[in-house]
Every structure is written in structure tokens, then in C-alpha cells.
Amino acid sequence: MGFFQLLEVAAMPVLQVLLISILGAFMATEYWNLLNADARKYLNKIVFIIFTPALIFSSLAKTVNFQDVITWWFMPINMGLTFLFGGILGWILVKIMKPESYLEGIIIATSSAGNLGNLLLIVVPAICNEDGSPFGDRNTCKSVALSYASFSMALGGFYIWTYTFHLVKSSVSTYKAIQEAEGSLSLRKPNNDFDANTESYLLKADDQVQTSIQVTSTKPIDEEDLEKELVVAQSSGKAGDELSFWGKITGSLHQIVEELMSPPTISAIVGFVFGCVPFLRNLIVGKSAPLRVIHDSIKLLGDGTIPGTTLILGGNLIQGLRSAKLKPSTIIGVILVRYLILPLIGIGVVKVAGDLGFLSPDPLYRYVLMLQFSLPPAMNIGTMAQLFDVGQEECSVLFLWTYLVAAFALTFWSTVYLWVLS
């Protein structure tokens, strides 16, 4: 397969994302006014609660069985390594570039969470269809490729809606806590009026009746409160030390349970159960399944995930190009992480795992493992940003540039991977 054939295959899914994003951008303009801020917010909730869980469940229940989980046991580890190395590199990027605090989680997320679903579903089978494919018979290759891609999408959804969801949520929570603290502090600033005496007027009615208090200390109010808080903290320090350990454990467990209760994560767990238990699978999957209408309906809902998410990203793009608080160097840093450093790490990981005997000899399987390290950011990050109402514009700008570069980056690395496996 030549370079230009690979370019066409790799560019097609990326161009689809860009075209739908452009449509979403036009729908958000004042001329059409179909995707205003409220419309994007409600559409995003539908994607989060209905479409995404439906897509994950239908994919898992249909394509993944217990034997696949055993045979492809290294794929979850490989994907975990993409999140691990990408997260470390994203953290380093955040420390170097020092973006706004509410963008830290989004930048680390875009560096670590790849589009492990719909792009693989399009790119890998398309390579099987091309003449001169190194992966053997076209029909067999396409069937196996769909299984690999579906398994990757399901596992990717699990990682994204646990690790990445927690990452973005904790970053946003920290930012909002800082904002609330700063707002509270601004309300407690001392009176710096040079003409004021020891009497501070608090209320002034229309009839000119004034109520005053006598200030008994010249210290600022917030300084006095701080001293009181320190005294209380010191007096209760021992008791706090005894409870802090158990409090951290309890808080961590509560946080884990809360993340696992998100609709996409629940659907992934239920989908694994239905896929791995033949009795449950045969109830809803297949032409002879008595309840196949349930799976077909869920799949129909899941098909709305990708266009819904992409339209929202496009709708945020117009505002993002005007007001996004992103340095060009930060965008370049994310591109370098996703399309230079991570792919090189991926080649090393797959080669070492193969030498140690952890991988099956199937070259298509190894190709998919390598490709997982060189994909553009996961679309669901935009869903999370919209869900928490923070960083939507910046997220859309990041997606615009990373997906523009992806057409050429995917082509280049696909060529390299095919050369390595030949």
C-alpha cells in the first residue's frame, strides 16, 4: 500500500470529524441559532446519559466474548500504558506551560486519552480493504479488525469514563473551590478608607438612620479569622491525625464508587457481562435472539454519539476562536506529545512485549496496539468539558488543531508501523 493510499485511508475519518464540526459551528452562529449555549448543554446531557452508554453497551455485547478477553489480555494493559505515559507527559507540559488552572485537567486529558473507538473502527478495516494489505485475506482481515476495534472502543470508554472523567472533574472542582475561596475573601477585605475612623458603617437606610459598630482591633478581619482558624487547627491536630487516614480511605472509596456510577461506566460493565455470558448474549444478539429488538434499539441510539459529540465541539469552536485562553505553545506541546513522543513509546512497548512472548503473532493485532499510541484526543473529553461547564472553547480549539494534524500524522505512523511489521 503506497503513501498516498494510506493518506486517503487515514484522512477520511478525520475529515468526517472536521466536516461535522464545521456544520456544528455554522449551527451555533447567530444566522442559524440552532446550537446556542443552552442547546449545546442539553444535547451534551443526552449524549452523556443516553447515546454514549448505548454505544458502549451495544459494541461490547455484540463483539466481545470471554475467549477474546483471555486471548487479547495485553490490549487493556497496552491502553493503560497510553493513558499512563500520556498523563505523565501532559503533567510535564502543564508544569512547563503553566496554563489557567481550569485547563490543566483538559490538557492532561487530551495528552493521555486517545480516540480509541470510532477512528479505529474506520481506519483499520479500511486498510484491510486496500489492495496489497499486509494482513492477509480481505474478508478475514476485516472481520478480525472490527473485533479488535470494537474491543478497543469498549475498553477505551471504560478508561475514559473512569480515569479521564476523574481527572477533568477533580481539576474543575479544584478550580471552582479556588474561585469560591477568592470570592469569599474579597467579601471579607478590611476597610481601607483613609478617612474612616474606628467606627465602620454597615447599613444606611433611606431615612439616614445609621448603625455602627466599634472596631476593637486594628488587625484586618481576615487576619484575625486566620489566627482563630490556626488556633483551632492546632488544638484539634491530634484528633485530626487519627481520623485523617481513615477519612482519606473513605473519601477515596467514595470517589471511586461515584466515578463507577457514571452512565458510560455502568454500561461498559453491563456490556462486558452480556458479552462474556453466552446465555445473556444469545438473548439479545443475533438474528435468532428472542430479544434482539432491544439490542437493535440500543445500537440505534448509540449511533447518535459521534455526530452529537462532534456537533457540540463545532458549536463551541466559534466562541473558542474568539475567547480561548490557550497559548500556541501549549497547542504545539499537545501535538508533539500525541504525534511524536507517544508513537515512539508505542513502538518500543509493542516490540518489548512481543519479544517477551506477551503478544500473539498476528501482525494486525500488533498494528492496532501501535496505532493506539498515535490517535488524536478522545471526543468524549469535549463532552466532559461541556458537562462541567468549564473550558469548552479551549477544548474545541485543541481538537481543531489536533485533528487537522491527525490526517498526516496517522498516515505517517501507519506507514512506519507497516514497515516495522513487514
Side-chain angles (χ1 to χ4, degrees):
M1 186 183 298
F3 175 81
F4 289 104
Q5 288 177 306
L6 276 174
L7 177 62
E8 182 181 358
V9 170
M12 283 302 130
V14 177
L15 289 175
Q16 288 176 3
V17 170
L18 293 175
L19 287 173
I20 298 175
S21 295
I22 292 173
L23 175 62
F26 277 111
M27 291 171 68
T29 59
E30 294 181 359
Y31 179 75
W32 282 9
N33 198 27
L34 295 175
L35 272 182
N36 55 34
D38 288 337
R40 295 196 300 270
K41 180 179 178 181
Y42 293 127
L43 177 58
N44 189 78
K45 287 184 178 180
I46 295 173
V47 170
F48 174 66
I49 297 174
I50 304 297
F51 290 171
T52 300
L55 178 66
I56 294 173
F57 175 83
S58 63
S59 175
L60 272 173
K62 182 178 180 180
T63 60
V64 178
N65 55 49
F66 187 70
Q67 184 62 38
D68 291 337
V69 174
I70 295 175
T71 305
W72 306 334
W73 65 270
F74 188 77
M75 188 179 287
I77 297 175
N78 187 75
M79 295 171 67
L81 292 175
T82 68
F83 280 81
L84 174 63
F85 289 118
I88 293 172
L89 294 169
W91 179 81
I92 294 173
L93 181 63
V94 163
K95 295 302 178 183
I96 294 174
M97 298 302 175
K98 298 185 179 349
E100 298 286 340
S101 59
Y102 67 90
L103 294 176
E104 292 181 358
I106 291 175
I107 291 172
I108 297 175
T110 52
S111 300
S112 59
N115 191 332
L116 297 162
N118 58 306
L119 278 183
L120 287 179
L121 284 171
I122 299 173
V123 172
V124 182
I127 288 179
C128 293
N129 284 331
E130 294 295 329
D131 295 330
S133 169
F135 302 126
D137 177 70
R138 179 178 300 181
N139 293 329
T140 304
C141 173
K142 186 175 180 180
S143 176
V144 175
L146 284 172
S147 297
Y148 289 156
S150 298
F151 191 47
S152 174
M153 179 175 66
L155 289 172
F158 188 82
Y159 276 107
I160 288 168
W161 290 106
T162 51
Y163 167 76
T164 306
F165 184 75
H166 171 73
L167 183 67
V168 176
K169 180 180 178 181
S170 60
S171 175
V172 171
S173 299
T174 302
Y175 167 73
K176 289 186 176 180
I178 293 173
Q179 292 294 98
E180 290 177 1
E182 290 178 351
S184 176
L185 184 61
S186 66
L187 295 175
R188 297 165 59 189
K189 287 183 178 180
N191 184 3
N192 293 325
D193 187 357
F194 293 108
D195 295 330
N197 53 22
T198 56
E199 289 186 349
S200 299
Y201 295 102
L202 298 180
L203 300 172
K204 185 175 182 180
D206 293 338
D207 56 359
Q208 303 298 319
V209 176
Q210 296 174 340
T211 305
S212 64
I213 62 171
Q214 187 73 21
V215 178
T216 58
S217 172
T218 58
K219 293 182 180 180
I221 297 173
D222 53 334
E223 186 178 335
E224 286 185 345
D225 290 345
L226 181 59
E227 288 182 357
K228 291 177 183 179
E229 291 171 3
L230 288 173
V231 171
V232 173
Q234 291 172 356
S235 63
S236 60
K238 294 183 179 180
D241 291 339
E242 294 175 358
L243 296 175
S244 60
F245 177 73
W246 294 109
K248 289 179 181 178
I249 292 179
T250 304
S252 298
L253 291 175
H254 176 75
Q255 186 69 33
I256 293 172
V257 172
E258 185 177 343
E259 305 300 343
L260 291 176
M261 292 303 292
S262 68
T265 308
I266 293 174
S267 71
I269 296 172
V270 177
F272 267 116
V273 173
F274 271 78
C276 294
V277 178
F279 169 73
L280 295 176
R281 180 191 183 115
N282 293 333
L283 280 177
I284 63 172
V285 178
K287 294 181 179 179
S288 59
L291 302 178
R292 62 185 180 276
V293 66
I294 295 177
H295 181 265
D296 293 342
S297 300
I298 293 175
K299 184 181 182 301
L300 186 62
L301 285 172
D303 291 341
T305 304
I306 297 170
T309 303
T310 312
L311 285 174
I312 293 169
L313 285 172
N316 290 328
L317 186 60
I318 295 295
Q319 183 65 26
L321 293 174
R322 299 172 183 168
S323 60
K325 298 179 180 178
L326 272 177
K327 300 176 184 176
S329 56
T330 302
I331 299 174
I332 294 172
V334 172
I335 290 173
L336 290 177
V337 167
R338 289 233 61 97
Y339 301 129
L340 178 61
I341 304 176
L342 277 180
L344 292 174
I345 293 174
I347 293 175
V349 167
V350 174
K351 279 202 162 192
V352 171
D355 292 340
L356 294 175
F358 294 159
L359 306 180
S360 70
D362 183 8
L364 181 60
Y365 180 63
R366 300 189 180 202
Y367 171 77
V368 171
L369 295 180
M370 290 183 183
L371 199 61
Q372 288 174 342
F373 279 88
S374 51
L375 296 167
M379 303 288 291
N380 288 326
I381 299 172
T383 302
M384 297 173 194
Q386 188 80 30
L387 189 67
F388 296 120
D389 196 24
V390 171
Q392 305 98 306
E393 296 85 5
E394 289 83 359
C395 188
S396 293
V397 172
L398 273 174
F399 272 74
L400 171 66
W401 290 109
T402 53
Y403 272 77
L404 282 173
V405 176
F408 300 95
L410 279 176
T411 305
F412 172 77
W413 286 113
S414 291
T415 307
V416 172
Y417 298 152
L418 293 175
W419 175 76
V420 169
L421 294 169
S422 61

